[in-house]
Amino acid sequence: MSGNRPEATGNPLAHAVKLARETVPPMHPAGRPFVFGGLAATLVLRRFSKRLGVVGALATAATAAFFREPKRVPPAQSGLAVASADGLVSLIEEAVPPPELGLPAEPRMRVSVFLSVFDVHVQRIPASGVIERVAYRPGKFLSADLDKASEDNERNSVLMRTEDGHELVVVQIAGLVARRILCEIREGDKVGVGATYGIIRFGSRVDLYLPPGSKVLVSKGQRTIGGETPIAELPSAPHSEG
């Protein structure tokens, strides 16, 4: 008889917590010190004024939202380079990759995505493969939507080789108010498409350099979703790269 009984609904509170976890994106670990500091400041401010306490709470909530790291599902189709960041496609043009990577000084198609302070700021791997080089270069903090930001601003460049043998270059670029680039991958790491590899604080840009023969699938002014939006279709066979 017990086999015909309906399944127990469980604890309503536990169910509500589960729904909240599925709805509210998790936070990148880099944001924890800022959020905990905001909470502490909010408690102090509330001692002096409830209004200041509300302001502190709102600021803390906004900080937590900035560091959100939502789950993403990459496309099932192979042979794609997906967006490394959420944001707006600001430039599609040919450009020479950062010289610190040691690549030939030959132009490649570059797709630039500008991130406003309201976008998700974690960066994601554009394709599965192996990290070959990681190079950081200090620089200026010009507005990230300017053309010369790719050359002049502080940046962290990553060269990876996909499972099909293609070279992809992803560059994290600091913006006007960004003062910290975090990269969590190292040379030799095996990485999966869509995996989070870093974050930029607070407003920035991400450049993706494609191998010759790639077919760009986005347009200038289009919004991208990191880890999901196909940026380009890679050539069927690797060209001579480097």
Side-chain angles (χ1 to χ4, degrees):
M1 293 293 291
S2 60
N4 296 326
R5 293 177 182 173
E7 294 184 4
T9 57
N11 187 326
L13 180 58
H15 181 64
V17 171
K18 180 181 178 182
L19 288 177
R21 287 178 176 175
E22 293 175 350
T23 303
V24 179
M27 184 174 61
H28 190 277
R32 292 172 185 168
F34 294 91
V35 172
F36 292 152
L39 290 173
T42 298
L43 293 176
V44 173
L45 289 172
R46 198 174 185 282
R47 287 173 170 264
F48 297 95
S49 166
K50 288 186 177 180
R51 182 174 296 180
L52 288 176
V54 170
V55 172
L58 291 175
T60 302
T63 302
F66 176 87
F67 285 99
R68 65 195 184 278
E69 186 181 356
K71 181 180 179 181
R72 296 288 165 77
V73 181
Q77 180 181 343
S78 60
L80 296 176
V82 303
S84 291
D86 291 35
L88 189 74
V89 178
S90 58
L91 290 172
I92 301 176
E93 60 184 3
E94 288 197 342
V96 176
E100 57 266 28
L101 291 176
L103 296 171
E106 300 173 354
R108 307 184 184 199
M109 186 58 68
R110 179 179 71 190
V111 178
S112 301
V113 174
F114 173 72
L115 295 74
S116 75
V117 293
F118 301 106
D119 287 311
V120 173
H121 265 63
V122 296
Q123 283 75 61
R124 300 176 188 271
I125 300 294
S128 297
V130 178
I131 304 302
E132 293 194 338
R133 200 166 304 156
V134 179
Y136 168 79
R137 198 208 72 167
K140 300 178 181 179
F141 297 96
L142 305 174
S143 179
D145 58 347
L146 297 177
D147 292 357
K148 58 183 179 179
S150 292
E151 287 72 37
D152 296 344
N153 281 21
E154 176 179 316
R155 64 183 181 232
N156 188 80
S157 304
V158 173
L159 169 64
M160 68 170 294
R161 190 167 298 276
T162 71
E163 293 176 339
D164 294 330
H166 294 293
E167 284 181 346
L168 288 176
V169 173
V170 188
V171 185
Q172 299 166 287
I173 302 172
L176 187 63
V177 294
R179 288 296 184 272
R180 183 76 169 93
I181 296 176
L182 176 64
C183 180
E184 300 169 317
I185 50 177
R186 299 292 181 267
E187 296 175 6
D189 286 353
K190 293 183 178 180
V191 291
V193 58
T196 299
Y197 81 90
I199 189 169
I200 313 173
R201 310 169 189 160
F202 292 92
S204 47
R205 171 172 159 181
V206 176
D207 288 348
L208 176 63
Y209 292 80
L210 302 166
S214 299
K215 179 183 178 182
V216 177
L217 302 176
V218 293
S219 302
K220 187 176 179 180
Q222 179 179 340
R223 292 201 62 82
T224 61
I225 299 175
E228 293 188 354
T229 302
I231 292 293
E233 184 178 319
L234 302 178
S236 56
H239 287 242
S240 177
E241 303 170 14

